[in-house]
């Protein structure tokens, strides 16, 4: 209540002030907005847009930026600079300008895109412009009421755990209203403290992505593709990249073509779920396309659907697309004799073990990281530091993120869209669909299966309940899940397998299946990953169902 009254007396933004006045007699609404500061971690900020310390607004954005600016200005060297990008979400342009104004007021040169751009293009700008860091204003695939703020280091990766901890310490020392320096955005532009990123950087990014093409033969690029940016940032870079590489038969549903932070046709703009793809699926049926692609609002994830023999469309999961792209890259490298020496593929601990089986065939080293593409990007950085960046051939995570080059250090929806279209066209020229390819991989390596369940824990009470549940999973004796005995319980909070400490639990089961549990770092959810392997589709699905049911009963 003290914080609420302080904001009520000091806020000058009329929209935020009006919201504060509207909740004056609602203790629950006040508590929800002020019971904590919006959490800051390796994913930066993310939360609902609105008034209060636990909301995304110009004051929480400015305070976080001041903390990041303080951190940057303490690093060695002179003349600090940052890059900024933003997506199509509500107030993304306002928040990006607010951040730019704070950086500029702190003597940090700002390079900001003149229009909305994908997250991977922020990572690219940080690297190509030689910046000390960067931010992108986005909430990825969350519903429209959310926005967020991802923070990047000089390497183009999202910040490390250590950097996040140091920046958080700077942020927590700041008062929202008296400790933040800010310069009018227009003045910053006029004084050249804020400059716009030019077309040369955009064109260079497209060329870099195009260079990641495997250029297989034979291939017929005259294939019909339906693509939807889900009212996000992907429309320009994805269509430009595809067209410049010869894929000209691209149809975009009008309802989802232009940027719109309200996401009117898909309230949850996540290309992982069928509901978000319904408009695109309808258009694909209408034009008779065999392939549908969809990118999330900040265009770092790609979802896909392929027409099946029944004339309907089958959604391809992130793990399925990951192993198909990995196998395709290895296959073409092998055919062309271009496989680098000691190649490396990087994936996460919650992604499919099928990648290990494919890697063994092609002689590729597998590196596993914690959840989050920043850790995959970090591995590319390690290789680059040793002068071995060419060893990296692919990285992916189960949540629809892929990257086949070292041009950026984050998942790249533009890169992935080009690769998927190329793979699709390559196999189509051989009379195979991507579903045929996937089935052949299962027959060769085993019927791997993966599914994700999420339980929401909203508000202050939910956060406490989620913490209690993780504690119980750590301390209770769990000998079996259904008919499957637990052979080992791994607690990643202890820093096992050479990885940083992380709030993740893994239950390894007899028969080779496993269940991993972790709280989401960006949403009030607990996530359960079921990784299984069967002798057939039916066997795999039975194991999956048994595990899900038994674990839900335990919870």
């Amino acid at each position: 209540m003290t914080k609420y009254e302080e904001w009520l007396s000091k806020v000058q933004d009329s929209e935020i002030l009006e919201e504060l006045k509207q909740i004056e007699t609602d203790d629950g609404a006040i508590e929800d907005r002020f019971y904590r500061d919006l959490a800051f971690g390796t994913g930066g900020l993310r939360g609902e847009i609105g008034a209060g310390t636990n909301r995304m607004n110009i004051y929480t954005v400015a305070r976080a930026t001041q903390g990041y600016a303080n951190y940057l200005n303490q690093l060695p060297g002179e003349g600090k600079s940052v890059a900024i990008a933003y997506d199509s979400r509500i107030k993304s342009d306002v928040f990006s300008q607010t951040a730019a104004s704070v950086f500029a007021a702190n003597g940090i040169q700002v390079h900001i895109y003149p229009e909305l751009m994908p997250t991977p293009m922020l990572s690219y700008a940080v690297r190509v412009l030689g910046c000390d860091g960067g931010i992108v204003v986005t909430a990825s695939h969350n519903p429209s009421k959310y926005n967020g703020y991802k923070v990047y280091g000089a390497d183009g990766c999202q910040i490390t755990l250590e950097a996040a901890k140091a920046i958080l310490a700077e942020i927590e020392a700041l008062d929202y209203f008296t400790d933040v320096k800010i310069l009018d955005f227009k003045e910053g532009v006029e004084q050249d403290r804020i400059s716009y990123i030019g077309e040369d950087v955009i064109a260079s990014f497209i060329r870099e992505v195009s260079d990641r093409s495997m250029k297989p033969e034979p291939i017929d690029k005259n294939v019909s593709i339906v693509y939807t940016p889900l009212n996000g940032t992907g429309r320009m870079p994805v269509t430009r990249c595809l067209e410049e590489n010869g894929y000209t038969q691209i149809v975009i549903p009008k309802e989802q073509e232009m940027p719109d932070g309200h996401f009117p046709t898909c309230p949850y703009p996540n290309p992982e779920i069928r509901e978000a793809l319904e408009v695109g699926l309808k258009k694909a049926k209408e034009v008779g396309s065999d392939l549908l692609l969809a990118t999330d609002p900040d265009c770092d994830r790609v979802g896909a659907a392929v027409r099946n023999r029944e004339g309907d469309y089958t959604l391809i999961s992130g793990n399925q697309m990951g192993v198909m792209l990995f196998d395709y890259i290895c296959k073409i490298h092998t055919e062309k004799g271009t496989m680098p020496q000691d190649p490396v593929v990087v994936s996460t601990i919650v992604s499919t073990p099928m990648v290990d089986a494919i890697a063994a065939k092609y002689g590729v080293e597998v590196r596993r990281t914690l959840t989050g593409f920043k850790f995959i990007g970090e591995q590319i950085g390690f290789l680059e530091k040793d002068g071995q960046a060419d060893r990296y051939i692919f990285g992916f995570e189960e949540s629809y993120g892929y990257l086949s080059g070292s041009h950026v250090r984050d998942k790249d929806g533009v890169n992935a869209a080009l690769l998927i279209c190329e793979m699709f066209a390559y196999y189509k020229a051989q009379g195979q669909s991507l579903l045929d390819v996937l089935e052949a991989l299962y027959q060769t390596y085993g019927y791997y299966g993966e599914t994700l369940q999420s339980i929401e824990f909203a508000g202050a009470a939910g956060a406490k309940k989620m913490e209690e549940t993780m504690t119980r999973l750590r301390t209770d004796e769990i000998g079996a899940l259904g008919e499957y005995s637990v052979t080992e319980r791994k607690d990643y909070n202890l820093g096992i397998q050479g990885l940083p400490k992380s709030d993740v639990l893994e239950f390894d089961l007899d028969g080779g299946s496993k269940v991993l549990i972790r709280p989401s770092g960006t949403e009030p959810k607990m996530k359960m990953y079921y990784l299984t392997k069967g002798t057939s589709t039916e066997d795999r699905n039975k194991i999956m169902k048994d595990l899900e049911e038994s674990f839900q009963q335990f919870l």
Side-chain angles (χ1 to χ4, degrees):
M1 186 58 73
T2 301
K3 289 181 180 179
Y4 167 73
E5 290 172 350
E6 180 188 16
W7 276 57
L8 199 60
S9 66
K10 293 183 178 180
V11 159
Q12 296 182 5
D13 181 89
S14 58
E15 189 175 335
I16 294 177
L17 190 58
E18 179 60 29
E19 182 179 339
L20 292 173
K21 290 178 179 178
Q22 288 177 356
I23 63 171
E24 194 167 8
T25 58
D26 188 338
D27 289 349
I30 292 173
E31 180 184 13
D32 187 41
R33 286 164 174 78
F34 290 95
Y35 82 92
R36 66 168 188 171
D37 290 333
L38 195 62
F40 182 93
T42 57
L45 299 173
R46 189 175 300 187
E48 293 183 34
I49 302 166
T53 60
N54 189 34
R55 293 289 188 272
M56 281 291 294
N57 54 65
I58 58 173
Y59 298 100
T60 53
V61 167
R63 179 174 179 252
T65 306
Q66 182 66 55
Y68 186 30
N70 289 349
Y71 168 82
L72 289 174
N73 279 330
Q74 291 171 18
L75 297 178
E78 301 294 328
K80 299 297 190 301
S81 65
V82 295
I84 297 178
Y86 60 94
D87 71 1
S88 62
R89 287 182 174 273
I90 298 166
K91 293 189 180 296
S92 281
D93 55 345
V94 174
F95 295 158
S96 65
Q97 289 190 9
T98 298
S101 299
V102 173
F103 282 128
N106 283 272
I108 297 174
Q109 181 65 42
V110 176
H111 304 277
I112 185 170
Y113 279 107
E115 58 183 318
L116 73 176
M117 290 291 171
T119 288
M121 293 182 71
L122 181 279
S123 176
Y124 183 75
V126 168
R127 291 173 57 76
V128 77
L129 296 174
C131 295
D132 299 280
I135 65 165
V136 56
V137 178
T138 179
S140 189
H141 55 280
N142 286 83
S144 61
K145 66 180 180 179
Y146 286 87
N147 211 326
Y149 176 113
K150 294 180 183 177
V151 183
Y152 289 74
D155 58 357
C157 283
Q158 287 191 55
I159 51 173
T160 63
L161 299 170
E162 294 77 13
K165 186 177 180 180
I167 295 169
L168 176 60
E170 293 290 340
I171 295 171
E172 289 180 332
L174 299 172
D175 181 87
Y176 283 92
F177 303 102
T178 60
D179 293 335
V180 178
K181 301 176 186 177
I182 194 160
L183 174 72
D184 179 76
F185 182 82
K186 290 182 179 179
E187 285 185 31
V189 174
E190 291 169 358
Q191 296 173 16
D192 291 328
R193 298 193 200 182
I194 301 171
S195 62
Y196 289 109
I197 297 172
E199 164 61 24
D200 57 329
V201 173
I202 298 170
S204 176
F205 172 81
I206 298 296
R207 285 195 302 272
E208 286 275 7
V209 172
S210 299
D211 287 345
R212 300 311 182 267
S213 166
M214 297 302 298
K215 301 178 176 60
E217 295 293 342
I219 185 171
D220 179 10
K221 296 181 179 180
N222 190 33
V223 290
S224 173
I225 301 162
V226 171
Y227 164 63
T228 170
L230 298 181
N231 299 117
T233 60
R235 182 181 66 94
M236 181 280 289
V238 170
T239 56
R240 176 173 170 177
C241 185
L242 291 178
E243 288 170 355
E244 288 186 10
N245 283 276
Y247 301 91
T248 57
Q249 305 300 313
I250 305 166
V251 176
I252 302 179
K254 293 296 181 185
E255 306 96 310
Q256 295 180 341
E257 180 177 9
M258 302 308 294
D260 187 340
H262 294 92
F263 308 116
T265 59
C266 54
Y268 195 55
N270 184 352
E272 301 178 36
I273 60 175
R274 192 177 186 98
E275 289 80 358
L277 304 183
E278 287 297 343
V279 170
L281 290 170
K282 180 181 178 182
K283 178 58 69 173
K285 290 178 182 178
E286 181 183 310
V287 303
S289 177
D290 290 334
L291 177 67
L292 165 69
L293 291 181
T295 52
D296 64 344
D298 67 325
C299 193
D300 60 355
R301 303 171 192 250
V302 182
V306 178
R307 186 158 56 177
N308 54 37
R309 287 188 173 87
E310 290 73 38
D312 199 0
Y313 289 80
T314 299
L315 271 60
I316 306 295
S317 75
N319 279 309
Q320 290 171 335
M321 186 59 76
V323 295
M324 281 196 288
L325 285 173
F326 175 48
D327 179 76
Y328 167 74
I329 289 169
C330 291
K331 176 183 174 68
I332 302 304
H333 270 313
T334 302
E335 289 178 355
K336 298 173 70 173
T338 56
M339 183 72 87
Q341 189 173 2
D342 301 321
V344 172
V345 62
V346 189
S347 193
T348 69
I349 59 174
V350 298
S351 299
T352 176
M354 190 173 180
V355 67
D356 298 88
I358 298 172
K361 174 185 175 181
Y362 290 104
V364 179
E365 177 190 345
V366 180
R367 295 189 181 184
R368 292 281 181 178
T369 72
L370 294 177
T371 307
F373 217 91
K374 58 182 169 287
F375 296 113
I376 296 176
E378 186 178 45
Q379 289 296 320
I380 303 173
F382 292 154
L383 290 168
E384 184 178 62
K385 187 176 181 180
D386 294 334
Q388 300 175 352
D390 290 344
R391 290 180 59 196
Y392 172 83
I393 60 171
F394 191 56
F396 79 95
E397 58 184 2
E398 97 298 334
S399 55
Y400 295 61
Y402 320 98
L403 178 66
S404 70
S406 58
H407 59 295
V408 299
R409 297 299 157 82
D410 209 339
K411 49 189 176 287
D412 183 355
V414 185
N415 168 224
L418 176 60
L419 269 182
I420 293 168
C421 290
E422 180 181 283
M423 178 175 67
F424 164 70
Y426 170 76
Y427 285 118
K428 187 175 176 65
Q430 299 180 7
Q432 293 179 280
S433 75
L434 293 185
L435 297 178
D436 296 328
V437 174
L438 184 61
E439 177 61 27
L441 290 175
Y442 284 145
Q443 290 179 10
T444 302
Y445 299 105
Y447 285 79
Y448 288 82
E450 309 81 28
T451 190
L452 168 65
Q453 285 186 324
S454 296
I455 300 177
E456 188 162 353
F457 292 84
K464 183 179 179 182
K465 179 68 174 176
M466 183 161 60
E467 184 178 343
E468 290 172 349
T469 303
M470 289 299 293
T471 299
R472 188 161 62 93
L473 287 168
R474 281 191 165 89
T475 56
D476 282 9
E477 286 296 327
I478 305 174
L481 291 175
E483 61 185 81
Y484 307 98
S485 299
V486 175
T487 58
E488 185 177 6
R489 175 166 52 188
K490 298 176 181 176
D491 187 349
Y492 287 85
N493 230 5
L494 303 176
I496 63 175
Q497 298 180 359
L499 298 172
K501 294 181 180 180
S502 183
D503 192 7
V504 182
L505 281 170
E506 176 181 324
F507 293 90
D508 294 346
L509 311 173
D510 59 356
S513 296
K514 60 180 67 178
V515 181
L516 293 99
I517 309 99
R518 71 177 184 92
S520 170
T522 56
E523 302 171 273
K525 292 180 179 179
M526 176 181 286
K527 295 187 174 184
M528 285 82 68
Y529 302 82
Y530 301 92
L531 307 178
T532 62
K533 180 184 178 182
T535 56
S536 65
T537 301
E538 294 74 20
D539 182 49
R540 174 193 65 198
N541 292 345
K542 178 183 181 300
I543 296 171
M544 193 87 68
K545 183 179 179 182
D546 290 347
L547 282 179
E548 289 179 14
E549 289 179 351
S550 61
F551 195 73
Q552 290 303 312
Q553 287 173 4
F554 173 81
L555 289 179

